[in-house]
Amino acid sequence: MRVITFEGPGRVRVGVEPPAALGPGSVRVRTLYSGVSAGTELTAYRGTNPYLTRRWDVERRLFVDGRTHAYPLTGWGYQEVGEVVEAAPEVADPPVGSLVWGIWGHRAEAVVPAERLAGHVLPPGADPLTGVFARVGAIALNAVHAADLRLGDQVAVFGQGVIGLLATRMAVLSGARVLAADAIPARLELARAFGAAETFDVRSGSVAEIVRKRVEGADSAIELSGSHQGLHEAIRTVRRGGRVVAAGFYQGDATGLRLGEEFHHNQVQLVSSQIGGVASWLSHRWDVERLQRTFMELVHRAEVSVLGLVSHVVPAGEAATAYELLDHRPSDVLQLVFRFEE
């Protein structure tokens, strides 16, 4: 069965692996589509992911000397949708023949514990492509929750890639007035379609200075560009005591992030949002599974539209070319999806 592997920085191979044995309590899923989370996966493609140079100590929750992962990295990816083609005798849910979304990596087939797919069955008539958005939708919803929005809040969302656009839409659904910022005009146009009250091309000036001409500052900002400069501008944009949710996957040294300026003088709250868990003050009610299911319910109720975000559907065999495109021409791509069906 085909599987996508990072052999080393900038090197991608589409190889084969033997089918896994079907164990008790599990199902075999044949992949239809697997979405690429460009921000995370490019860190593996480029060799910048901290797991490659530092060891994550799970008990102490610290990065320490060593490394967590090493090349080759096989089956990365966390946005899959497929058909259940076989089930262990004792498994009734999900049923054979159903379409399910979940996480099993960029591979043509996987054996998955059935309990991990409970509640992950796509409804009849749903486009299978919607399933690849469950995880990135949960990431966006997690960031919106961390912003702790109130009806009427002014929120700036920096970065209008897939996750930024989904955050924009869900912030609007939460009752906030959204200013969407990006450097790509086509993405700003999509942000307006997703309900942003205003859009701003960051190449034309400072978001913070524009916002402060009208009001004291945004109540909160959600930073999803993954740029340290973007994070610094988000900090500049919020009012005194405002909250900035840092939800991008920042790489390298924080060049351009000057914490002695507005962050210090305006007593800005800086909150990290990462899909490994929910905001601490919500953990008694929310978890990652609920985030994913809630997002998919919004999609199926047509409150969030995702199919228009798919810019490329690429045969899995062309993975090397696809990652090269993401690396060198990111503005040409929104959501890239690998197609595994023959």
Side-chain angles (χ1 to χ4, degrees):
M1 307 303 292
R2 286 175 301 167
V3 62
I4 297 172
T5 298
F6 296 122
E7 295 282 288
R11 292 164 37 221
V12 179
R13 178 175 62 88
V14 181
V16 294
E17 61 182 2
L22 184 72
S26 62
V27 297
R28 188 180 308 279
V29 183
R30 186 164 298 152
T31 309
L32 298 176
Y33 299 108
S34 186
V36 175
S37 179
T40 299
E41 294 186 42
L42 282 177
T43 67
Y45 178 78
R46 293 168 176 164
T48 62
N49 193 294
Y51 283 174
L52 296 170
T53 55
R54 302 281 283 169
R55 181 173 65 85
W56 175 241
D57 186 318
V58 176
E59 291 186 1
R60 291 189 292 167
R61 299 197 66 80
L62 286 173
F63 279 102
V64 296
D65 289 341
R67 62 184 181 184
T68 312
H69 297 308
Y71 292 112
L73 302 171
T74 297
W76 274 51
Y78 54 68
Q79 304 183 140
E80 286 70 55
V81 61
E83 180 184 1
V84 177
V85 295
E86 186 182 7
E90 70 279 10
V91 172
D93 182 26
V96 172
S98 60
L99 297 183
V100 294
W101 52 268
I103 301 172
W104 54 85
H106 297 315
R107 46 176 39 93
E109 182 184 289
V111 170
V112 183
E115 62 182 13
R116 282 175 43 192
L117 300 176
H120 291 202
V121 176
L122 291 175
D127 191 313
L129 274 173
T130 60
V132 305
F133 288 91
R135 190 70 168 183
V136 289
I139 293 170
L141 181 54
N142 205 27
V144 170
H145 281 183
D148 201 22
L149 300 180
R150 300 288 191 274
L151 182 65
D153 271 359
Q154 306 268 339
V155 58
V157 180
F158 288 79
Q160 294 296 304
V162 172
I163 299 175
L165 286 163
L166 295 176
T168 289
R169 178 60 186 155
M170 288 186 283
V172 171
L173 291 175
S174 300
R177 186 179 190 277
V178 176
L179 182 151
D182 201 284
I184 301 173
R187 295 185 181 183
L188 294 175
E189 185 176 344
L190 276 169
R192 287 189 287 272
F194 273 44
E198 295 181 76
T199 58
F200 189 84
D201 189 329
V202 297
R203 298 170 301 174
S204 64
S206 165
V207 177
E209 292 176 13
I210 293 296
V211 169
R212 289 180 184 278
K213 284 181 179 178
R214 298 193 304 269
V215 293
E216 293 180 17
D219 297 289
S220 59
I222 301 173
E223 208 300 304
L224 280 158
S225 74
S227 159
H228 293 107
Q229 292 90 341
L231 181 56
H232 183 70
E233 189 66 9
I235 290 170
R236 296 183 73 226
T237 299
V238 297
R239 64 177 61 213
R240 184 174 184 179
R243 174 171 295 184
V244 173
V245 177
F249 193 4
Y250 306 96
Q251 301 294 297
D253 295 333
T255 304
L257 180 60
R258 302 183 295 280
L259 297 181
E261 297 181 5
E262 289 83 5
F263 173 74
H264 180 71
H265 288 77
N266 289 334
Q267 300 170 291
V268 172
Q269 302 175 40
L270 183 58
V271 176
S272 173
S273 177
Q274 199 267 351
I275 197 58
V278 303
S280 59
W281 58 91
L282 295 174
S283 60
H284 63 295
R285 294 190 287 121
W286 284 84
D287 57 18
V288 174
E289 179 64 19
R290 185 180 176 189
L291 289 173
Q292 294 180 137
R293 292 196 196 187
T294 298
F295 176 77
M296 291 304 293
E297 289 169 6
L298 292 172
V299 171
H300 297 143
R301 293 201 302 264
E303 294 183 57
V304 177
S305 177
V306 295
L307 292 179
L309 301 179
V310 177
S311 60
H312 294 70
V313 178
V314 178
E318 299 176 13
T321 302
Y323 283 108
E324 185 177 0
L325 172 65
L326 284 168
D327 191 27
H328 295 293
R329 291 161 47 200
S331 62
D332 292 349
V333 187
L334 200 50
Q335 178 62 65
L336 187 146
V337 177
F338 291 127
R339 184 179 70 246
F340 277 89
E341 59 185 343
E342 298 296 342

